[in-house]
Amino acid sequence: MAPMNAPHTTADLISPALMQRFDIPGPRYTSYPTADRFLPDDEGHHLTSALQTRARLSSVTPLSLYLHLPFCESVCYYCACNKVITKDHGKVDRYLHSLEKEMVLVGGGLGSDRRVGQLHLGGGSPTFLDDEELTRLMAQMRRHFKFVEGVECSIEIDPRTVDRQRLACLRQLGFNRLSFGVQDFDPEVQKAVHREQPFEQVAALMEEVRALGFDSVNLDLIYGLPRQSSESFRKTLQQVLQLEPDRLALYAYAHLPTRFKPQRRIEARELPKAEDKVRMMDQAVQALMRHGYDYIGMDHFALPGDQLAQVKRDGRLQRNFQGYHAHAGADLLGLGVSSISQIGDAYSQSVKTLDEYYGCLDAGRLPVERGVTLNEDDRLRREVIMALMCQGKINFSQVNERYGIDCVHYFADALEKLREFEWEGLVMRSSAGLEVSKTGWFFVRPMAMCFDQYLARHQDHQRFSKVL
Ligand code: SF4
């Protein structure tokens, strides 16, 4: 039976009329303010001052570390990531060298408490690095940070770049969670997006992953890709479910070719129509529910025994630049080109190109480009937006007490905007607060937008992707 916190079917729940009204472009709220609101800060003031504040605290939660490894051998046409396409593996050496310089600089700011509770390697394709390079990278990190016992180490895997031996090496290096980019198993779709990786290849890797004793495996899927149909996607889903991943991310493809150059190679006429995308999402949600997956929130599903499902049930789910996670109170330190840090009340983003990155580090400067330190209103709005995105509810009295405000008065504008969601039964409002409905979970993003003070000031959300 499907869990109470999850939608059972989407076709029944999401009518075309609802889609038309509420499927508007908007941020994914992995931060608030969203990264596009950060201000120029090439001296890295926001980061430096946040690190100093952290260093002065008597007790802090171990850090989450994110490392961005930008290299990929070939481009996937749907890609919206910051990456460097190259076949030249010689480029890795300089990058690792610069990463170490960055670790030294940031480590100085962190002070003596360098404990790390979670590490994630993303990209690009982290597995562009060979075993020796990954070993060198992990050794660098262990030199500059102290991994706590039971540290959660995860890495994004491009299935085309690993085999049994490489997986064994990752296990030996301490990785316990893997995330495979699958997207779709249909050969025609794979050709259309320039990412060919047969089901058999991924299935064989999954077998190895289980044999090697990794704690959790995530698979990423995308619906709305060129040449995808509800029929072809149904088959992909069947194949994915055979593999029994612990977690699944189900993203809607957002075709924004003016923002993301690789997407210009996708034939717009080959893209499925909006109603086909709803059908694909519907069949995916139904299939996942039938197979016992819990709905976590925006695009994410997990088996009930998985840590993410557990924290969701306990109301402890969190969200940051890595999406949903279980590490309450942990600052996120991003290292590498284009990475984002969230330390206390500050956000900071690194420069986006390799030349800038190397230039800053060669000059002994933090490779920071932009940042922001939250004011009281930002902190308050971040809390309510994250409560909506993670718990699906806002408890007015808790917020009133913490911030010394009256939510009904303070958020009068937002609550007024939310009325149309209320009328459609997407969110329920009472004197205690707000709670989203099963259907409402699919629209938490536009609901969160009602609380976004920056969007209210600048009506420019067209550059974001839509919900579906
Ligand atoms: S989707 Fe991933 S693997 Fe493909 S080009 Fe982008 S970053 Fe590289």
Side-chain angles (χ1 to χ4, degrees):
M1 192 174 143
M4 290 303 290
N5 68 349
H8 294 245
T9 72
T10 43
D12 296 343
L13 295 173
I14 306 179
S15 65
L18 269 187
M19 283 291 299
Q20 213 166 13
R21 278 181 68 185
F22 298 113
D23 188 19
I24 52 173
R28 302 177 71 80
Y29 291 112
T30 49
S31 70
Y32 180 82
T34 49
D36 55 314
R37 306 294 170 189
F38 299 173
L39 303 166
D41 180 31
D42 53 11
E43 300 283 321
H45 290 307
H46 296 285
L47 179 61
T48 309
S49 141
L51 289 173
Q52 281 167 357
T53 305
R54 182 186 158 92
R56 282 196 296 271
L57 297 175
S58 53
S59 125
V60 284
T61 308
L63 280 171
S64 286
L65 266 191
Y66 170 77
L67 258 82
H68 192 79
L69 301 162
F71 306 106
C72 301
E73 277 213 6
S74 74
V75 70
C76 312
Y77 295 162
Y78 54 80
C79 183
C81 305
N82 184 294
K83 76 276 171 197
V84 175
I85 305 296
T86 180
K87 294 210 188 295
D88 179 4
H89 284 251
K91 292 193 172 181
V92 173
D93 180 63
R94 178 155 193 209
Y95 193 73
L96 292 185
H97 191 62
S98 297
L99 263 179
E100 179 138 36
K101 285 185 185 171
E102 191 180 5
M103 287 177 202
V104 171
L105 281 178
V106 175
L110 271 173
S112 56
D113 191 346
R114 312 265 187 97
R115 290 170 306 137
V116 170
Q118 189 206 10
L119 165 74
H120 182 74
L121 267 52
S125 302
T127 47
F128 179 93
L129 274 62
D130 64 24
D131 290 352
E132 207 177 302
E133 289 159 344
L134 281 168
T135 306
R136 173 177 157 196
L137 176 61
M138 290 302 276
Q140 276 177 212
M141 276 187 287
R142 288 180 193 278
R143 265 200 301 282
H144 297 282
F145 300 96
K146 186 177 182 326
F147 288 9
V148 301
E149 206 177 313
V151 58
E152 182 185 307
C153 291
S154 54
I155 180 167
E156 289 164 19
I157 307 262
D158 178 341
R160 298 167 298 177
T161 58
V162 295
D163 55 17
R164 182 182 199 290
Q165 190 197 326
R166 298 217 65 199
L167 291 173
C169 175
L170 290 174
R171 191 79 190 96
Q172 212 179 1
L173 288 173
F175 289 95
N176 40 32
R177 293 171 181 269
L178 305 179
S179 179
F180 284 91
V182 166
Q183 328 314 358
D184 191 295
F185 279 128
D186 186 274
E188 280 307 306
V189 176
Q190 291 192 352
K191 257 187 227 148
V193 297
H194 200 235
R195 185 175 174 123
E196 296 185 51
Q197 44 183 47
F199 168 71
E200 293 70 24
Q201 185 183 9
V202 178
L205 291 173
M206 285 292 278
E207 259 184 52
E208 298 298 349
V209 165
R210 299 301 185 198
L212 289 162
F214 285 92
D215 294 344
S216 174
V217 187
N218 173 77
L219 299 188
D220 284 348
L221 293 181
I222 304 181
Y223 63 93
L225 291 174
R227 299 186 204 166
Q228 234 174 13
S229 65
S230 53
E231 202 39 56
S232 74
F233 198 55
R234 179 173 297 133
K235 193 167 169 225
T236 286
L237 286 166
Q238 281 168 359
Q239 291 170 311
V240 163
L241 288 165
Q242 274 176 42
L243 304 178
E244 295 182 36
D246 304 272
R247 296 181 187 177
L248 259 161
L250 177 69
Y251 299 111
Y253 171 63
H255 192 56
L256 301 168
T258 48
R259 273 185 70 191
F260 304 113
K261 224 169 157 188
Q263 297 187 355
R264 293 175 201 165
R265 295 163 91 163
I266 284 180
E267 298 275 358
R269 64 184 165 77
E270 292 190 331
L271 291 170
K273 295 193 178 68
E275 53 270 30
D276 296 327
K277 282 177 81 176
V278 178
R279 215 169 294 129
M280 285 181 219
M281 184 179 77
D282 176 41
Q283 64 194 30
V285 174
Q286 287 196 53
L288 294 175
M289 294 297 138
R290 271 200 309 276
H291 280 76
Y293 284 84
D294 283 358
Y295 180 64
I296 303 301
M298 263 186 64
D299 322 321
H300 288 78
F301 300 80
L303 286 173
D306 187 88
Q307 183 195 36
L308 217 46
Q310 288 168 15
V311 293
K312 171 76 190 282
R313 280 197 297 276
D314 301 345
R316 292 183 292 117
L317 190 66
Q318 312 286 317
R319 188 163 174 80
N320 65 13
F321 288 102
Q322 290 168 40
Y324 286 111
H325 69 94
H327 300 268
D331 286 331
L332 171 68
L333 181 63
L335 298 170
V337 67
S338 78
S339 65
I340 299 183
S341 298
Q342 178 185 340
I343 310 284
D345 284 339
Y347 292 109
S348 170
Q349 182 164 32
S350 292
V351 293
K352 298 206 181 72
T353 68
L354 285 181
D355 284 347
E356 293 169 296
Y357 184 67
Y358 295 148
C360 288
L361 288 162
D362 288 349
R365 278 192 288 118
L366 283 170
V368 169
E369 180 177 88
R370 296 183 312 143
V372 70
T373 299
L374 276 63
N375 60 31
E376 183 75 355
D377 178 70
D378 293 331
R379 270 196 293 278
L380 166 55
R381 288 176 190 274
R382 173 165 77 177
E383 184 163 325
V384 298
I385 285 173
M386 292 306 165
L388 259 187
M389 304 291 292
C390 298
Q391 278 76 51
K393 52 183 157 191
I394 299 172
N395 181 322
F396 286 164
S397 56
Q398 270 176 14
V399 179
N400 290 348
E401 205 174 307
R402 198 165 4 241
Y403 290 90
I405 58 155
D406 170 6
C407 273
V408 175
H409 180 68
Y410 194 95
F411 290 122
D413 282 358
L415 295 173
E416 186 56 36
K417 287 183 201 154
L418 273 178
R419 271 184 194 280
E420 56 172 334
F421 293 88
E422 271 182 72
W423 292 328
E424 295 295 343
L426 301 176
V427 64
M428 277 76 72
R429 180 175 158 188
S430 69
S431 54
L434 295 169
E435 182 155 6
V436 305
S437 66
K438 285 176 187 165
T439 313
W441 267 106
F442 288 95
F443 298 99
V444 282
R445 182 151 59 149
M447 281 190 240
M449 287 163 69
C450 299
F451 292 90
D452 187 332
Q453 190 66 1
Y454 297 89
L455 276 185
R457 275 187 230 141
H458 310 273
Q459 291 296 325
D460 58 350
H461 22 108
Q462 288 307 322
R463 64 215 153 78
F464 295 108
S465 61
K466 289 185 174 187
V467 178
L468 300 175

